Amino acid sequence: QVHLVQSGGGLAQAGGSLRLSCAASGHTSTDFTMSWWRQPPGKERDIVAAISWATGNTTYSDSVKGRFILSRDDAKTTLYLQMYNLKPEDTADYYCAVSRTGGDVPTESIYDFAHWGQGTPVRVSP
């Protein structure tokens, strides 16, 4: 059973930075997508960024491209999301997720993700 534990996040002012971490355990394969999603209050959950753990290929949503960066620690099976130049519209609950299957390109369909972290609030003030 895959278990994801998130940390980081919190409060920031516009233009500031925050980092999120997601530590995965229990996965018996290295062929999966690991991703970050966010859900603003009253809105749907959307993907922010994802990485194919097998290949390292990444994808970012247009809204965060150039501001958010994925990195990982293979030894700890931990994924990081470094967020720079934060904007008030980045305010949301952030979730990490691991997919059921893998591939060379990270999947971005929410239906492919079977394992979710507990969620971390990110609040950006103007």
Side-chain angles (χ1 to χ4, degrees):
Q1 180 72 16
V2 177
H3 186 53
L4 303 177
V5 178
Q6 297 179 219
S7 60
L11 301 175
Q13 290 187 326
S17 302
L18 288 172
R19 190 176 83 155
L20 304 180
S21 301
C22 178
S25 61
H27 214 294
T28 58
S29 168
T30 58
D31 191 14
F32 54 87
T33 291
M34 201 161 177
S35 60
W36 287 101
W37 298 70
R38 67 186 182 187
Q39 186 166 15
K43 297 186 178 180
E44 294 184 348
R45 191 174 299 186
D46 291 321
I47 196 165
V48 174
I51 184 169
S52 164
W53 204 262
T55 65
N57 289 328
T58 58
T59 184
Y60 296 88
S61 68
D62 289 343
S63 61
V64 307
K65 201 172 293 183
R67 299 189 298 121
F68 290 11
I69 300 174
L70 288 173
S71 63
R72 71 192 207 186
D73 184 329
D74 287 358
K76 299 178 181 179
T77 317
T78 298
L79 183 67
Y80 303 97
L81 183 68
Q82 180 66 54
M83 303 182 289
Y84 296 103
N85 190 22
L86 284 162
K87 303 177 180 181
E89 51 264 43
D90 294 320
T91 292
D93 291 331
Y94 284 68
Y95 298 87
C96 65
V98 168
S99 64
R100 295 181 179 85
T101 58
D104 292 345
V105 177
T107 181
E108 298 180 65
S109 171
I110 195 168
Y111 301 105
D112 290 337
F113 291 91
H115 313 286
W116 292 87
Q118 79 274 21
T120 300
V122 170
R123 303 291 182 261
V124 183
S125 60

